[in-house]
Amino acid sequence: MHKGYLTLVLHSHLPFVRHPEHENFLEEDWLYEAITETYVPLIRIFERLLDENVDFRVTMSLTPTLISMLSDGLLQERYLRHINKLIELAHKEVERTRHQAEFNGLAQMYLERFYEARGVFEKYRRNLVLAFKKFQDAGRIEIITCGATHGYFPLMETTRESVRAQVKVAVAHYEKNFSRRPAGIWLPECGFYPGCDEILKESGIKYFFSDAHGVLHASPRPKYAVFAPVYCKSGVACFARDLESSKQVWSSIEGYPGDYLYREFYRDVGFDLDYEYIRPYIHPDGIRINTGIKYYRITGTGDHKEPYNPHWAQEKAAEHAGNFMFNRQKQAEYLFDCLGKKPIIVSPYDAELYGHWWYEGPMWLDFLIRKIAFDQDVIRLVTASEYLAENPRNQVVTPSLSSWGWKGYSEMWLQGPNDWIYRHLYVASQRMTELAKRFPLAEGLIKRALNQALRELLLAQSSDWAFIMGTGTHTSYAVNRTKDHLLRFNRIYDDLKVNNIDEGWLSGIENSDNIFPEIDYHVHQ
Amino acid sequence: MAESAKYYPPQPQAPASAYPDLPVKYGRDMLVLQVRDPWWIHSYWELKDRTLERLRRELKDDFAKAKRVLRVYDISFIDFNGSNAHHFFDILLNDHADNWYIDTGSPGRSWCADLGLLLADGRFITILRSNTVQTPLDGPSWITDEEWMIPDDLFAKLYGVGVGLGSSPMKGKKPWKVHLRGGISSGSPVRKK
């Protein structure tokens, strides 16, 4: 008999970055890297599991901005260009290392990986969303939605209409892409404030995730701590993160990814190799970037690095998967005895941990899923929806305001480098509501302007910008994005006030900020 | 998210003068509070020139001698009518301030604020009143529900397990104090260089 449930969640998000005005744009690389290093490896693993009839459950949040980019023709074309360049580089690397057995084997490995990435990409008609849809339709993964542009809700509490718009736009976009309504949502950054669940309920959402203290500090106290979901007064369920299982994977000190046999992220040929040789494969401006071809393992804490050995790394990944499973079993057994009820252990991670930061991550996940399926019967993989179907009676509490960000609340997005944005977002949000009310039945050019205004506002609200400003690195892009979208919004607002919209200008920004083609400005009230 | 530690060399920046900027003022009266964490709230505001002008005309000499103040009220569990707060404290502002971080000193309370003038004779004139915010608790609630009761020590144990501190009895029996001091947060990649 199973003693507990395990819910694995992979949160996959990238902010909307699309620059048709530039041939090459550095920040678009985030998408291409994620496709090559995270999404394709995960897709390959799920494909094989499906083909071999291995039962498993994984929850994935695919954010609307990510889905939009994966389905965008221009970015798809640019990805092909990107992966073809990598294939070219890998060929050269195979040639360059032909007398160095250790490195040559690795160069071959990367060449195969890049061909595989291109193959998978083409197989799904260049739209990887179709792959994840296939796995959901087969009942193996549950895809949940997220805020339309990953706006951080706790700092939008003063402008509830914007929270509503973030949710409604996301749900409509999800429905269009997956032919069903989303049952769950990943709150951006797990950012919850008491009351936002009512907005979720309006859109038919049944559950969300919070960080551990969101439930542990709920009022009244949760009887099962984080090991059962709770219902908000609205009836929407909240599943809280289990930090024990998170630590094993995330922690830079205790976690698996730091093992010395795993691949070293910071030794990339983009930085290591001769400038003239690598020049065609880094940024056209000559700035060195990560290519994804890395030849060394972590080895130790110092700077000395040994060549990567994929077989040793694979064995280690299998060992770590076994260890993770063993720990979850022990945890489940202990809690089952304590609680008199089967606990649910919720383990959410940023998807890009798997493959991008932790190269062996996807392999580890594959081992874990298979071990759980074949080697034991203590824990069972479930989705939150399945858990609620089997366990419909849960305690009613008000979860605490919380996030899974630095220090557990909102400081990451509200500090010196980024606090200036909020007055502008506040005014813009109020203006958007004013516009939605002032034009209940807009048509033609005015309707286009109103819809574009909402797009600009949503894009300005991406928490990614404030986050990047907060980290202090590479901030000018984030500052410019915030300003650009707010300035465009304000211009539309001013133009609507005097009923003088410049269609040429509007068409231009409709073309570049082309997210959510079917957006309906009415949702912002 | 990965962005926090992606290793990007310095980017060429657009010259500041080439960049149009957001308005310094929107020409409205507004005072907004938002919550940062259990102890800190943040306030930002704007006053119309007209509003200040009106006050200057009405108060004449008193205006020049008055101090601009943010008065922060603890209005937990009450309907605030302007004078029934549990207590309040004043923050002296200079004329150029347009936002402030406020250390409220106690978690789990409701707050609102007035932007006002403190006159020399002690009178306080409210110019604007903010929205109300509620700060979260910094630990488990003391409210327990009869129908879903759990003994304290078992709750402490479960808390510890849930936040990765293991299941053995804690010293002091307050694992939330340990938990919030160091956690695993988003955006922290596996290893920073």
Side-chain angles (χ1 to χ4, degrees), chain A residues 339-388:
Chain A
L339 303 175
K341 158 183 168 101
K342 287 191 239 173
I344 181 171
I345 298 165
V346 178
S347 308
Y349 307 101
D350 274 341
E352 74 201 339
L353 172 66
Y354 292 85
H356 175 67
W357 292 109
W358 181 21
Y359 184 64
E360 299 78 5
M363 210 183 324
W364 173 90
L365 185 63
D366 189 35
F367 281 128
L368 178 67
I369 287 173
R370 288 168 190 272
K371 281 177 197 284
I372 288 176
F374 296 121
D375 296 351
Q376 60 91 50
D377 60 1
V378 177
I379 56 173
R380 204 183 115 205
L381 286 175
V382 288
T383 63
S385 291
E386 285 175 321
Y387 179 93
L388 287 172

Side-chain angles (χ1 to χ4, degrees), chain A residues 342-496:
Chain A
K342 287 191 239 173
I344 181 171
I345 298 165
V346 178
S347 308
Y349 307 101
D350 274 341
E352 74 201 339
L353 172 66
Y354 292 85
H356 175 67
W357 292 109
W358 181 21
Y359 184 64
E360 299 78 5
M363 210 183 324
W364 173 90
L365 185 63
D366 189 35
F367 281 128
L368 178 67
I369 287 173
R370 288 168 190 272
K371 281 177 197 284
I372 288 176
F374 296 121
D375 296 351
Q376 60 91 50
D377 60 1
V378 177
I379 56 173
R380 204 183 115 205
L381 286 175
V382 288
T383 63
S385 291
E386 285 175 321
Y387 179 93
L388 287 172
E390 286 178 28
N391 302 272
R393 181 166 187 261
N394 296 291
Q395 186 181 4
V396 177
V397 305
T398 300
S400 169
L401 187 154
S402 52
S403 81
W404 80 341
W406 176 56
K407 286 188 180 173
Y409 298 98
S410 303
E411 187 170 344
M412 186 68 212
W413 302 272
L414 181 58
Q415 47 170 310
N418 51 34
D419 55 26
W420 59 272
I421 69 179
Y422 295 101
R423 71 176 60 239
H424 300 287
L425 291 173
Y426 176 82
V427 171
S429 177
Q430 297 212 314
R431 286 176 165 184
M432 187 69 230
T433 303
E434 182 196 318
L435 289 174
K437 292 190 164 135
R438 192 171 357 133
F439 296 98
L441 301 163
E443 290 292 329
L445 187 60
I446 293 185
K447 182 174 171 190
R448 276 170 59 193
L450 289 164
N451 285 339
Q452 192 61 28
L454 183 54
R455 282 188 195 101
E456 300 297 337
L457 176 62
L458 291 175
L459 287 169
Q461 289 169 343
S462 300
S463 69
D464 310 85
W465 315 139
F467 184 93
I468 292 171
M469 291 180 219
T471 64
T473 52
H474 205 54
T475 61
S476 56
Y477 180 73
V479 170
N480 292 344
R481 286 294 300 264
T482 303
K483 288 186 176 176
D484 277 339
H485 294 302
L486 283 166
L487 286 167
R488 286 171 198 169
F489 174 86
N490 283 332
R491 176 160 169 188
I492 295 176
Y493 177 79
D494 290 335
D495 288 354
L496 279 168

Side-chain angles (χ1 to χ4, degrees), chain A residues 4-47:
Chain A
Y5 305 91
L6 177 61
T7 294
L8 296 170
V9 187
L10 299 179
H11 170 52
S12 321
H13 167 63
L14 284 170
F16 190 71
V17 175
R18 180 181 179 276
H19 293 275
E21 70 276 17
H22 292 282
E23 240 329 278
N24 266 293
F25 202 89
L26 186 74
E27 283 77 1
E28 281 177 12
D29 279 0
W30 297 339
L31 176 66
Y32 312 142
E33 266 178 0
I35 290 174
T36 312
E37 298 171 8
T38 295
Y39 306 136
V40 165
L42 286 175
I43 287 170
R44 283 297 292 129
I45 281 167
F46 294 150
E47 274 180 340

Side-chain angles (χ1 to χ4, degrees), chain B residues 48-58 63:
Chain B
K48 286 193 246 197
D49 293 335
R50 220 174 43 218
T51 305
L52 284 170
E53 264 317 300
R54 182 174 52 81
L55 284 164
R56 190 174 283 122
R57 272 199 318 271
E58 283 171 12
F63 184 88

Side-chain angles (χ1 to χ4, degrees), chain A residues 127-285:
Chain A
N127 184 354
L128 295 180
V129 179
L130 296 174
F132 296 114
K133 179 174 192 296
K134 177 174 99 172
F135 304 133
Q136 172 161 260
D137 291 343
R140 298 294 195 267
I141 72 171
E142 178 164 343
I143 301 173
I144 58 179
T145 189
C146 184
T149 56
H150 209 265
Y152 180 69
F153 295 170
L155 292 176
M156 292 165 65
E157 189 178 354
T158 48
T159 53
R160 298 173 62 91
E161 298 84 0
S162 281
V163 177
R164 183 171 288 119
Q166 287 268 341
V167 173
K168 288 193 157 175
V169 169
V171 168
H173 190 250
Y174 181 102
E175 235 180 314
K176 172 128 194 295
N177 277 278
F178 299 107
S179 311
R180 62 171 85 176
R181 296 183 67 89
I185 189 170
W186 178 268
L187 297 176
E189 303 291 351
C190 285
F192 173 83
Y193 70 85
C196 78
D197 52 293
E198 286 160 26
I199 293 176
L200 301 178
K201 181 161 184 122
E202 284 169 19
S203 285
I205 288 172
K206 307 235 168 15
Y207 68 87
F208 62 93
F209 294 93
S210 76
D211 202 356
H213 56 291
V215 166
L216 290 172
H217 298 177
S219 179
R221 251 181 229 194
K223 172 170 180 170
Y224 299 112
V226 300
F227 301 110
V230 290
Y231 286 126
C232 300
K233 288 209 172 99
S234 59
V236 181
C238 173
F239 288 81
R241 171 161 81 141
D242 163 64
L243 287 180
E244 175 68 44
S245 51
S246 273
K247 235 178 13 161
Q248 295 211 283
V249 179
W250 269 128
S251 168
S252 53
I253 309 146
E254 308 163 45
Y256 302 130
D259 191 281
Y260 294 160
L261 291 179
Y262 288 148
R263 198 186 70 165
E264 170 61 64
F265 182 89
Y266 293 104
R267 289 297 300 272
D268 188 292
V269 303
F271 293 95
D272 282 357
L273 293 183
D274 173 69
Y275 188 70
E276 283 313 314
Y277 174 86
I278 203 69
R279 205 184 158 148
Y281 308 100
I282 55 177
H283 195 263
D285 287 350

